[in-house]
Amino acid sequence: MQKKRDHIAESIADYMAMSSEEQGAMIARVMEDQPFLMGFLTDVADEFSDEQHESLVDSVMILLNAFIAAGMPVGLIPGPALEEVIKERTEAYAEADVLLPEVSESPKVFQDLRNLAIVKADLNVDSEQDLANFNLMLDILITSVERMADYEQKQKDGSEA
């Protein structure tokens, strides 16, 4: 039996091993390929510390790399789809009355990327509200990327049938 690969863990290791020039080039490519997602992330930059915002950007790069490594490229995330995810995830967090990984549609991915941010952005020292905002933003990014990858995979599977 073949062991299932942990594409997120591998992508984290690969991304963290890149030079800052390589990371910058990748971010520039993704800004062109994902203008709505990256525009949204740029728009909320002032709501987070530089380290937290950098961790959110890193999370998007890691997610995209993980899907590519799994053979599931992520197409353009359209603005309306992103707005739908923002609304839906914000409501889910508000209804849960707690901002924990379990509220995420992908708790393991959320936890892996949040752990990276804890180390990189020192999330443990921020206020509870700052942490809640970070958790929500991270979940929005994960959900947006995962849904588009899933959509692309369904399109691909449908065309092969």
Side-chain angles (χ1 to χ4, degrees):
M1 188 166 132
Q2 187 178 11
K3 185 179 178 197
K4 185 177 178 184
R5 293 179 62 189
D6 186 344
H7 292 287
I8 294 293
E10 289 176 12
S11 186
I12 288 171
D14 290 346
Y15 186 75
M16 299 314 285
M18 288 180 177
S19 69
S20 46
E21 292 80 21
E22 291 170 318
Q23 288 178 354
M26 177 186 226
I27 292 168
R29 276 192 318 275
V30 171
M31 288 187 86
E32 287 180 20
D33 294 345
Q34 295 292 347
F36 298 107
L37 184 66
M38 296 307 284
F40 168 66
L41 199 47
T42 300
D43 289 346
V44 299
D46 292 342
E47 297 178 33
F48 299 96
S49 71
D50 289 346
E51 294 82 9
Q52 289 171 343
H53 188 258
E54 186 176 318
S55 291
L56 291 168
V57 171
D58 290 349
S59 294
V60 170
M61 300 307 117
I62 289 164
L63 276 169
L64 293 172
N65 273 346
F67 278 108
I68 290 167
M72 297 176 66
V74 179
L76 171 67
I77 299 169
L82 178 59
E83 290 171 19
E84 181 181 316
V85 169
I86 292 166
K87 182 177 186 260
E88 180 185 305
R89 298 316 306 152
T90 301
E91 289 172 0
Y93 273 83
E95 288 172 14
D97 197 36
V98 63
L99 293 168
L100 298 173
E102 294 78 26
V103 178
S104 175
E105 291 181 3
S106 296
K108 171 146 180 18
V109 173
F110 178 90
Q111 195 61 49
D112 287 350
L113 293 174
R114 187 170 170 274
N115 286 344
L116 178 64
I118 287 171
V119 171
K120 189 169 184 174
D122 201 12
L123 290 178
N124 288 329
V125 299
D126 291 324
S127 73
E128 194 169 309
Q129 187 59 48
D130 288 347
L131 182 58
N133 290 340
F134 185 88
N135 286 349
L136 175 59
M137 181 61 59
L138 181 60
D139 191 44
I140 288 168
L141 297 172
I142 292 168
T143 303
S144 297
V145 171
E146 286 184 344
R147 286 190 184 170
M148 184 49 63
D150 185 52
Y151 173 80
E152 293 286 327
Q153 189 64 41
K154 286 178 181 172
Q155 295 297 320
K156 182 179 168 186
D157 292 346
S159 67
E160 292 175 0

